[in-house]
Amino acid sequence: ALPICVGETSAGYITTGGNNTCVGINCLIGLTTGSDNTAIGDGAGANIITGSYNTYIGNSQASSDLSKSIGIGYNAQPTCSNCAVIGGAYGTADAIKFGIGTNTPSYPLHVVGQTVITSTLTAGSGTAGASVLNVVGGNINLDTTQKLQWANNGNTAISYDTSDGTMKLQSFGPLEFGGWNGSAYTRS
């Protein structure tokens, strides 16, 4: 099927792709053989050449051969297939704060309310003295089949032993205790 396009030079180079929809100047302008793409906004999806099943809303770009990617908002630039990006990259002037349950998000992802994670939550590494996982005014709750792991590749764990109702601290390597005194870690 022919593309449905509104806007100057939109989808200007399509040779064999079909079922594409674009609204805006220069949206899907580089597309040649991709199909089933949707782009709305000035330059939306302009870098896609052969990708299919992508959705771009706003002035958002992508790599040339992505499939099933989503870019929403100014300067949203997915660089992988099967992924979604909202707004510009973290740390840039185009970064956004995304709120769930709040109208005034204070963080890149700000969730107000109960959150359920049914797989693995991974927190990145921080600098000395910086919190990687910061729990303020709440709890970390684990069911009796789970354990909390931290340190080098999960080599230390806290787990609940259902046979005797006790908490266990396990270390699969050296275990040191210490604290942060405001300028350096101390060992005890």
Side-chain angles (χ1 to χ4, degrees), residues 24 54 65 67 70 91 93 95 109 113 121 131 140 145 157:
N54 298 293
D65 59 353
S67 292
I70 300 169
L109 175 59
L121 171 64
S131 294
I140 297 175
T145 63

Side-chain angles (χ1 to χ4, degrees), residues 60-83:
S60 53
Q61 306 291 318
S63 297
S64 64
D65 59 353
L66 300 182
S67 292
K68 301 175 188 162
S69 68
I70 300 169
I72 299 174
Y74 179 75
N75 214 7
Q77 299 183 18
T79 57
C80 56
S81 292
N82 300 308
C83 62

Side-chain angles (χ1 to χ4, degrees), residues 44-187:
N47 293 337
I48 299 172
I49 296 172
T50 60
S52 296
Y53 310 106
N54 298 293
T55 302
Y56 293 94
I57 300 172
N59 188 321
S60 53
Q61 306 291 318
S63 297
S64 64
D65 59 353
L66 300 182
S67 292
K68 301 175 188 162
S69 68
I70 300 169
I72 299 174
Y74 179 75
N75 214 7
Q77 299 183 18
T79 57
C80 56
S81 292
N82 300 308
C83 62
V85 174
I86 300 175
Y90 176 73
T92 69
D94 300 325
I96 66 159
K97 296 174 185 165
F98 186 79
I100 299 174
T102 178
N103 293 326
T104 54
S106 301
Y107 304 97
L109 175 59
H110 189 156
V111 179
V112 175
Q114 192 170 22
T115 303
V116 176
I117 299 171
T118 58
S119 186
T120 302
L121 171 64
T122 302
S125 62
T127 58
S131 294
V132 174
L133 177 59
N134 189 9
V135 179
V136 178
N139 300 310
I140 297 175
N141 298 313
L142 305 172
D143 67 33
T144 57
T145 63
Q146 303 299 312
K147 57 184 167 182
L148 176 64
Q149 295 183 335
W150 76 93
N152 187 9
N153 295 318
N155 288 332
T156 305
I158 297 174
S159 60
Y160 179 75
D161 188 338
T162 57
S163 66
D164 63 7
T166 60
M167 296 296 290
K168 306 284 187 197
L169 174 62
Q170 300 168 311
S171 178
F172 304 99
L175 180 62
E176 294 181 6
F177 292 93
W180 179 253
N181 68 11
S183 61
Y185 279 104
T186 60
R187 294 181 181 165

